[in-house]
């Protein structure tokens, strides 16, 4: 199977192996711990280094979505402050936790498909 057959977007959003698209990327359903290797094709996940990238993307995306929605609600209906707290605090937490796994998997798939690696000196 060619490495380019699996779409990085599809592999990332389904949290699957970036090479075969079938093996699970994470050990469990609700955490960010990665497996050692793909259970289907045997790809070692030792190359993975996403750093803080997924968290930064989630923060930026949620800031845009939640602040925009809060401003629209405020200027349209002028609700009390407690309603804002009831709506936006749980909504932000749920979206943050829901987006972190697929965005991390997407960055891993893009790192694999673009063969991104740590910068090295050319001697």
């Amino acid at each position: 199977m060619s490495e380019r057959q699996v779409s990085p977007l599809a592999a990332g959003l389904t949290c699957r192996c970036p090479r075969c698209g079938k093996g699970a990327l994470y050990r469990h359903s609700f955490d960010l711990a990665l497996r050692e290797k793909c259970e289907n094709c045997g790809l070692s996940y030792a190359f993975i280094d996403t750093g803080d990238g997924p968290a930064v993307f989630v923060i930026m995306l949620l800031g845009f979505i939640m602040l925009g929605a809060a401003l629209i609600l405020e200027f349209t209906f002028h609700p009390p402050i407690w309603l804002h707290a009831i709506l936006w605090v749980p909504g932000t937490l749920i979206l943050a936790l829901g987006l972190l796994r697929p965005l991390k998997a997407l960055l891993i798939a893009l790192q694999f498909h673009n063969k991104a690696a740590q910068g090295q000196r050319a001697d």
Side-chain angles (χ1 to χ4, degrees):
M1 177 184 288
S2 172
E3 291 180 8
R4 295 289 178 191
Q5 288 183 346
V6 176
S7 163
L9 184 63
L13 294 180
T14 58
C15 300
R16 297 290 174 189
C17 172
R19 180 165 65 186
C20 69
K22 295 182 179 152
L25 192 60
Y26 297 108
R27 291 183 191 190
H28 304 290
S29 297
F30 297 108
D31 67 3
L32 295 172
L34 297 171
R35 295 178 181 271
E36 298 291 323
K37 62 180 182 172
C38 177
E39 65 221 11
N40 186 53
C41 69
L43 174 68
S44 172
Y45 294 150
F47 72 92
I48 295 172
D49 182 23
T50 58
D52 292 334
V56 170
F57 285 121
V58 168
I59 289 168
M60 295 296 196
L61 187 62
L62 282 179
F64 178 76
I65 292 170
M66 298 309 246
L67 182 61
L71 287 173
I72 290 170
L73 180 71
E74 176 63 32
F75 290 121
T76 304
F77 300 107
H78 306 292
I81 193 73
W82 61 265
L83 185 60
H84 280 292
I86 288 174
L87 289 175
W88 307 121
V89 172
T92 301
L93 291 173
I94 291 168
L95 277 175
L97 296 175
L99 288 174
L100 197 53
R101 283 175 49 93
L103 282 178
K104 181 176 180 176
L106 178 61
L107 287 178
I108 290 168
L110 289 170
Q111 180 182 0
F112 175 78
H113 284 280
N114 292 311
K115 297 177 179 41
Q118 185 76 11
Q120 300 173 354
R121 286 182 42 177
D123 291 328

